[in-house]
Amino acid sequence: MSATVEHWAPAGRILDLRRTSTRPALAPAPAGAVSLAMGEPDFPTPPEVVAAAERALRDGHTHYADQSGLPALRAAIADRLPGPAARRSPDEVLVTHGATAALTATIFGMIGPGDRVVIPEPTYSLYADLVTLAGGTVDFVPLDGSLHWDLDRLASALPGAAMVVFSNPANPTGIVHRDDELRALGRLLEGSRTVVVADEAYHRLVYPGYTFRSALEIESLRERTVYVQTFSKTYAMTGWRVGYLAGPAGLVEVAARVHRTMNGSLNTAVQLAALRALELPDTAIEPMLAAYRRRRALVVDELAGAPGLDLTPPEGAFYGFVRYAAEAPASEVTRDLAERGVLVRAGSEYGPSGQGHVRISFAASEPDLRTGIERLREYFAADPM
Ligand SMILES: Cc1ncc(COP(=O)(O)O)c(C=O)c1O
């Protein structure tokens, strides 16, 4: 008899995750469909970065690296961290397998049974899954009507929380949390031992008229913040799997212990390529940023006035979080839209308040965006439910 999945008894935490997780397994778009579902840049990695990896391999950089990251890469990251006097030492930086492993190392390092983690939502769905897998308790706090933080609700939820996690610029809402919001969070946490995890994966994707502030630039947050960053989005390097975290030495030491236990050291040639990416002038990424600006304008224009649909214009990242008037749950709407040839993500994937929304990604070509949005409009116009 061949063993089936049911034959084996998974760990209790996996059963918890199966029960609570809203993250779909991603599949490629079927023929004829356009995908506005992926949070993945559709540009190639800059050629200088690819060349650096090739050179590293030819030069024999094919062995284990320092488990916290190559010292030269950590030093380059430390030099470039945001914040006024935030010149951290390389010991306060950990190179990780993408932002995913930075978040994993931080959450597994600090959270266990009995620990409550405040997660303003809708937000990137990995955070809640990691907390569940670590045995902690997820405390979702809905955003306000403008998709910014609801400070009153946060004031009630934060006392006693072990951690608060957010993305800024935010996935899936496209919101850039303002300087005054970040300062208010700092005030709410005064005197507490709550750790802040600031996932700033989209920091270079901020649209004209909006100002991005890193949590490391906010004095009242800096000393309690684990800053999470990745090469995936800025440099179109999703497949390279390289990111990092930075924070107070004690927190970094804890995360480093988890990371080397779960992951071991990171591919040496990839780290040398990441170092090359950091050294690139802004002109290397500006064409990508310009394309996202054009696409954002296209999305805002194409959705303006669409009956039954409402989009808060994206302030950063490459997502439009579209509210629809119809009653149907987002999972059903997403399935229907896939049948009509456009893949999007259900807003409910990002937390209970994401119900009634779909997320579209504009990390997709302009023709795909036009086709996808047209199908979206047709669906809601024809079938408002
Ligand atoms: C907010 C946010 N953080 C982290 C990640 C994962 O980044 P990485 O590819 O570096 O693991 C994503 C990917 O979509 C994201 O949207």
Side-chain angles (χ1 to χ4, degrees), residues 39 97-100 103 124 127 167 171 199 201-202 230 232-233 238 241-242 319:
H97 288 253
T100 300
L103 292 159
Y124 184 44
Y127 309 146
S167 59
N171 175 7
D199 175 354
Y202 299 96
T230 176
S232 288
K233 314 290 176 174
T238 44
R241 309 310 304 134
V242 54
Y319 302 113

PDB file of all heavy atoms in Angstrom, residues 39 97-100 103 124 127 167 171 199 201-202 230 232-233 238 241-242 319, ligand 1:
ATOM      1  N   GLY A  39       3.281  39.204  -7.041  1.00  0.00           N
ATOM      2  CA  GLY A  39       4.055  40.320  -6.495  1.00  0.00           C
ATOM      3  C   GLY A  39       5.506  40.203  -6.912  1.00  0.00           C
ATOM      4  O   GLY A  39       6.393  40.208  -6.073  1.00  0.00           O
ATOM      5  N   HIS A  97      17.947  34.462   3.611  1.00  0.00           N
ATOM      6  CA  HIS A  97      17.349  33.927   2.378  1.00  0.00           C
ATOM      7  C   HIS A  97      16.087  34.733   2.082  1.00  0.00           C
ATOM      8  O   HIS A  97      14.972  34.312   2.395  1.00  0.00           O
ATOM      9  CB  HIS A  97      17.002  32.454   2.544  1.00  0.00           C
ATOM     10  CG  HIS A  97      18.190  31.555   2.576  1.00  0.00           C
ATOM     11  ND1 HIS A  97      18.535  30.723   1.546  1.00  0.00           N
ATOM     12  CD2 HIS A  97      19.138  31.392   3.511  1.00  0.00           C
ATOM     13  CE1 HIS A  97      19.641  30.075   1.851  1.00  0.00           C
ATOM     14  NE2 HIS A  97      20.013  30.459   3.045  1.00  0.00           N
ATOM     15  N   GLY A  98      16.264  35.890   1.516  1.00  0.00           N
ATOM     16  CA  GLY A  98      15.142  36.765   1.213  1.00  0.00           C
ATOM     17  C   GLY A  98      14.561  37.368   2.484  1.00  0.00           C
ATOM     18  O   GLY A  98      14.944  37.018   3.616  1.00  0.00           O
ATOM     19  N   ALA A  99      13.612  38.300   2.278  1.00  0.00           N
ATOM     20  CA  ALA A  99      12.901  38.864   3.431  1.00  0.00           C
ATOM     21  C   ALA A  99      12.129  37.768   4.145  1.00  0.00           C
ATOM     22  O   ALA A  99      11.916  37.820   5.362  1.00  0.00           O
ATOM     23  CB  ALA A  99      11.958  39.973   2.972  1.00  0.00           C
ATOM     24  N   THR A 100      11.718  36.746   3.397  1.00  0.00           N
ATOM     25  CA  THR A 100      10.956  35.641   4.003  1.00  0.00           C
ATOM     26  C   THR A 100      11.714  35.051   5.186  1.00  0.00           C
ATOM     27  O   THR A 100      11.149  34.873   6.277  1.00  0.00           O
ATOM     28  CB  THR A 100      10.681  34.551   2.940  1.00  0.00           C
ATOM     29  OG1 THR A 100       9.936  35.147   1.878  1.00  0.00           O
ATOM     30  CG2 THR A 100       9.915  33.381   3.513  1.00  0.00           C
ATOM     31  N   LEU A 103      12.025  37.478   8.167  1.00  0.00           N
ATOM     32  CA  LEU A 103      10.809  37.499   8.982  1.00  0.00           C
ATOM     33  C   LEU A 103      10.708  36.227   9.816  1.00  0.00           C
ATOM     34  O   LEU A 103      10.363  36.261  11.004  1.00  0.00           O
ATOM     35  CB  LEU A 103       9.580  37.638   8.072  1.00  0.00           C
ATOM     36  CG  LEU A 103       9.468  38.992   7.352  1.00  0.00           C
ATOM     37  CD1 LEU A 103       8.557  38.891   6.122  1.00  0.00           C
ATOM     38  CD2 LEU A 103       8.943  40.063   8.318  1.00  0.00           C
ATOM     39  N   TYR A 124       0.403  41.719   4.388  1.00  0.00           N
ATOM     40  CA  TYR A 124       1.087  40.574   3.767  1.00  0.00           C
ATOM     41  C   TYR A 124       0.814  39.325   4.606  1.00  0.00           C
ATOM     42  O   TYR A 124       1.083  39.300   5.817  1.00  0.00           O
ATOM     43  CB  TYR A 124       2.574  40.898   3.695  1.00  0.00           C
ATOM     44  CG  TYR A 124       3.428  39.867   3.005  1.00  0.00           C
ATOM     45  CD1 TYR A 124       3.017  39.273   1.810  1.00  0.00           C
ATOM     46  CD2 TYR A 124       4.660  39.512   3.527  1.00  0.00           C
ATOM     47  CE1 TYR A 124       3.819  38.342   1.174  1.00  0.00           C
ATOM     48  CE2 TYR A 124       5.476  38.587   2.891  1.00  0.00           C
ATOM     49  CZ  TYR A 124       5.037  38.006   1.714  1.00  0.00           C
ATOM     50  OH  TYR A 124       5.841  37.083   1.091  1.00  0.00           O
ATOM     51  N   TYR A 127       2.969  37.045   7.538  1.00  0.00           N
ATOM     52  CA  TYR A 127       3.211  37.368   8.955  1.00  0.00           C
ATOM     53  C   TYR A 127       2.380  36.464   9.878  1.00  0.00           C
ATOM     54  O   TYR A 127       2.892  35.886  10.832  1.00  0.00           O
ATOM     55  CB  TYR A 127       2.892  38.836   9.275  1.00  0.00           C
ATOM     56  CG  TYR A 127       3.521  39.865   8.364  1.00  0.00           C
ATOM     57  CD1 TYR A 127       2.856  41.056   8.059  1.00  0.00           C
ATOM     58  CD2 TYR A 127       4.786  39.672   7.816  1.00  0.00           C
ATOM     59  CE1 TYR A 127       3.426  42.013   7.230  1.00  0.00           C
ATOM     60  CE2 TYR A 127       5.356  40.627   6.980  1.00  0.00           C
ATOM     61  CZ  TYR A 127       4.664  41.791   6.685  1.00  0.00           C
ATOM     62  OH  TYR A 127       5.228  42.729   5.862  1.00  0.00           O
ATOM     63  N   SER A 167       4.108  46.111   6.998  1.00  0.00           N
ATOM     64  CA  SER A 167       4.902  46.439   5.816  1.00  0.00           C
ATOM     65  C   SER A 167       4.649  47.895   5.461  1.00  0.00           C
ATOM     66  O   SER A 167       3.544  48.407   5.618  1.00  0.00           O
ATOM     67  CB  SER A 167       4.553  45.523   4.633  1.00  0.00           C
ATOM     68  OG  SER A 167       3.191  45.617   4.294  1.00  0.00           O
ATOM     69  N   ASN A 171       1.944  46.141   1.403  1.00  0.00           N
ATOM     70  CA  ASN A 171       1.314  45.103   0.598  1.00  0.00           C
ATOM     71  C   ASN A 171       0.149  44.584   1.442  1.00  0.00           C
ATOM     72  O   ASN A 171       0.382  44.220   2.601  1.00  0.00           O
ATOM     73  CB  ASN A 171       2.330  43.977   0.340  1.00  0.00           C
ATOM     74  CG  ASN A 171       1.741  42.789  -0.400  1.00  0.00           C
ATOM     75  OD1 ASN A 171       0.610  42.830  -0.838  1.00  0.00           O
ATOM     76  ND2 ASN A 171       2.536  41.729  -0.512  1.00  0.00           N
ATOM     77  N   ASP A 199       8.829  45.783   7.827  1.00  0.00           N
ATOM     78  CA  ASP A 199       9.177  45.139   6.557  1.00  0.00           C
ATOM     79  C   ASP A 199       9.084  46.221   5.477  1.00  0.00           C
ATOM     80  O   ASP A 199       7.995  46.616   5.078  1.00  0.00           O
ATOM     81  CB  ASP A 199       8.178  43.993   6.323  1.00  0.00           C
ATOM     82  CG  ASP A 199       8.352  43.311   4.975  1.00  0.00           C
ATOM     83  OD1 ASP A 199       9.164  43.774   4.148  1.00  0.00           O
ATOM     84  OD2 ASP A 199       7.646  42.307   4.751  1.00  0.00           O
ATOM     85  N   ALA A 201      10.221  46.188   2.302  1.00  0.00           N
ATOM     86  CA  ALA A 201      10.610  45.572   1.029  1.00  0.00           C
ATOM     87  C   ALA A 201      10.391  46.500  -0.177  1.00  0.00           C
ATOM     88  O   ALA A 201      11.106  46.425  -1.169  1.00  0.00           O
ATOM     89  CB  ALA A 201       9.810  44.278   0.823  1.00  0.00           C
ATOM     90  N   TYR A 202       9.390  47.392  -0.085  1.00  0.00           N
ATOM     91  CA  TYR A 202       9.045  48.250  -1.238  1.00  0.00           C
ATOM     92  C   TYR A 202       9.557  49.678  -1.059  1.00  0.00           C
ATOM     93  O   TYR A 202       9.001  50.610  -1.624  1.00  0.00           O
ATOM     94  CB  TYR A 202       7.517  48.246  -1.447  1.00  0.00           C
ATOM     95  CG  TYR A 202       6.974  46.870  -1.745  1.00  0.00           C
ATOM     96  CD1 TYR A 202       6.448  46.067  -0.731  1.00  0.00           C
ATOM     97  CD2 TYR A 202       7.025  46.350  -3.029  1.00  0.00           C
ATOM     98  CE1 TYR A 202       5.982  44.788  -0.997  1.00  0.00           C
ATOM     99  CE2 TYR A 202       6.559  45.066  -3.300  1.00  0.00           C
ATOM    100  CZ  TYR A 202       6.040  44.296  -2.282  1.00  0.00           C
ATOM    101  OH  TYR A 202       5.582  43.023  -2.546  1.00  0.00           O
ATOM    102  N   THR A 230      14.928  43.421   1.405  1.00  0.00           N
ATOM    103  CA  THR A 230      15.170  42.378   0.407  1.00  0.00           C
ATOM    104  C   THR A 230      15.699  42.995  -0.879  1.00  0.00           C
ATOM    105  O   THR A 230      15.423  44.170  -1.168  1.00  0.00           O
ATOM    106  CB  THR A 230      13.858  41.602   0.120  1.00  0.00           C
ATOM    107  OG1 THR A 230      14.110  40.652  -0.922  1.00  0.00           O
ATOM    108  CG2 THR A 230      12.716  42.502  -0.299  1.00  0.00           C
ATOM    109  N   SER A 232      14.758  41.510  -3.597  1.00  0.00           N
ATOM    110  CA  SER A 232      13.781  40.952  -4.543  1.00  0.00           C
ATOM    111  C   SER A 232      13.076  42.005  -5.385  1.00  0.00           C
ATOM    112  O   SER A 232      12.956  41.860  -6.601  1.00  0.00           O
ATOM    113  CB  SER A 232      12.700  40.167  -3.783  1.00  0.00           C
ATOM    114  OG  SER A 232      13.204  38.966  -3.267  1.00  0.00           O
ATOM    115  N   LYS A 233      12.579  43.049  -4.726  1.00  0.00           N
ATOM    116  CA  LYS A 233      11.687  43.973  -5.439  1.00  0.00           C
ATOM    117  C   LYS A 233      12.491  45.084  -6.119  1.00  0.00           C
ATOM    118  O   LYS A 233      12.309  45.342  -7.305  1.00  0.00           O
ATOM    119  CB  LYS A 233      10.662  44.574  -4.469  1.00  0.00           C
ATOM    120  CG  LYS A 233      10.005  43.559  -3.530  1.00  0.00           C
ATOM    121  CD  LYS A 233       9.047  42.606  -4.194  1.00  0.00           C
ATOM    122  CE  LYS A 233       8.534  41.580  -3.189  1.00  0.00           C
ATOM    123  NZ  LYS A 233       7.512  40.706  -3.718  1.00  0.00           N
ATOM    124  N   THR A 238      13.894  38.385  -7.321  1.00  0.00           N
ATOM    125  CA  THR A 238      13.081  37.466  -6.501  1.00  0.00           C
ATOM    126  C   THR A 238      13.654  36.049  -6.447  1.00  0.00           C
ATOM    127  O   THR A 238      13.582  35.387  -5.418  1.00  0.00           O
ATOM    128  CB  THR A 238      11.633  37.388  -7.040  1.00  0.00           C
ATOM    129  OG1 THR A 238      11.699  37.276  -8.458  1.00  0.00           O
ATOM    130  CG2 THR A 238      10.823  38.609  -6.671  1.00  0.00           C
ATOM    131  N   ARG A 241      16.923  34.923  -3.949  1.00  0.00           N
ATOM    132  CA  ARG A 241      16.653  34.647  -2.540  1.00  0.00           C
ATOM    133  C   ARG A 241      17.692  35.309  -1.632  1.00  0.00           C
ATOM    134  O   ARG A 241      18.457  34.626  -0.936  1.00  0.00           O
ATOM    135  CB  ARG A 241      16.559  33.133  -2.260  1.00  0.00           C
ATOM    136  CG  ARG A 241      15.630  32.365  -3.151  1.00  0.00           C
ATOM    137  CD  ARG A 241      14.236  32.968  -3.281  1.00  0.00           C
ATOM    138  NE  ARG A 241      13.580  33.160  -2.002  1.00  0.00           N
ATOM    139  CZ  ARG A 241      12.936  34.296  -1.681  1.00  0.00           C
ATOM    140  NH1 ARG A 241      12.854  35.326  -2.528  1.00  0.00           N
ATOM    141  NH2 ARG A 241      12.375  34.405  -0.521  1.00  0.00           N
ATOM    142  N   VAL A 242      17.716  36.618  -1.657  1.00  0.00           N
ATOM    143  CA  VAL A 242      18.629  37.308  -0.747  1.00  0.00           C
ATOM    144  C   VAL A 242      17.966  38.563  -0.177  1.00  0.00           C
ATOM    145  O   VAL A 242      17.351  39.340  -0.895  1.00  0.00           O
ATOM    146  CB  VAL A 242      20.006  37.599  -1.424  1.00  0.00           C
ATOM    147  CG1 VAL A 242      19.873  38.351  -2.732  1.00  0.00           C
ATOM    148  CG2 VAL A 242      20.964  38.332  -0.483  1.00  0.00           C
ATOM    149  N   TYR A 319       0.836  47.620  -6.031  1.00  0.00           N
ATOM    150  CA  TYR A 319      -0.460  46.962  -5.868  1.00  0.00           C
ATOM    151  C   TYR A 319      -1.607  47.964  -5.854  1.00  0.00           C
ATOM    152  O   TYR A 319      -1.467  49.071  -5.300  1.00  0.00           O
ATOM    153  CB  TYR A 319      -0.509  46.200  -4.539  1.00  0.00           C
ATOM    154  CG  TYR A 319       0.588  45.167  -4.420  1.00  0.00           C
ATOM    155  CD1 TYR A 319       1.607  45.327  -3.489  1.00  0.00           C
ATOM    156  CD2 TYR A 319       0.597  44.063  -5.262  1.00  0.00           C
ATOM    157  CE1 TYR A 319       2.623  44.381  -3.390  1.00  0.00           C
ATOM    158  CE2 TYR A 319       1.608  43.124  -5.174  1.00  0.00           C
ATOM    159  CZ  TYR A 319       2.618  43.284  -4.235  1.00  0.00           C
ATOM    160  OH  TYR A 319       3.615  42.362  -4.153  1.00  0.00           O
TER     161      TYR A 319
HETATM  162  C1  LIG B   1       5.810  42.925   2.131  1.00  0.00           C
HETATM  163  C2  LIG B   1       6.633  41.782   1.633  1.00  0.00           C
HETATM  164  N1  LIG B   1       7.633  41.326   2.411  1.00  0.00           N
HETATM  165  C3  LIG B   1       8.391  40.299   2.031  1.00  0.00           C
HETATM  166  C4  LIG B   1       8.182  39.646   0.817  1.00  0.00           C
HETATM  167  C5  LIG B   1       9.042  38.463   0.458  1.00  0.00           C
HETATM  168  O1  LIG B   1      10.267  38.891  -0.043  1.00  0.00           O
HETATM  169  P1  LIG B   1      11.428  37.881  -0.439  1.00  0.00           P
HETATM  170  O2  LIG B   1      11.277  37.578  -1.902  1.00  0.00           O
HETATM  171  O3  LIG B   1      12.678  38.664  -0.193  1.00  0.00           O
HETATM  172  O4  LIG B   1      11.342  36.684   0.420  1.00  0.00           O
HETATM  173  C6  LIG B   1       7.147  40.077  -0.019  1.00  0.00           C
HETATM  174  C7  LIG B   1       6.882  39.384  -1.287  1.00  0.00           C
HETATM  175  O5  LIG B   1       5.858  39.541  -1.911  1.00  0.00           O
HETATM  176  C8  LIG B   1       6.356  41.175   0.409  1.00  0.00           C
HETATM  177  O6  LIG B   1       5.339  41.621  -0.336  1.00  0.00           O
END
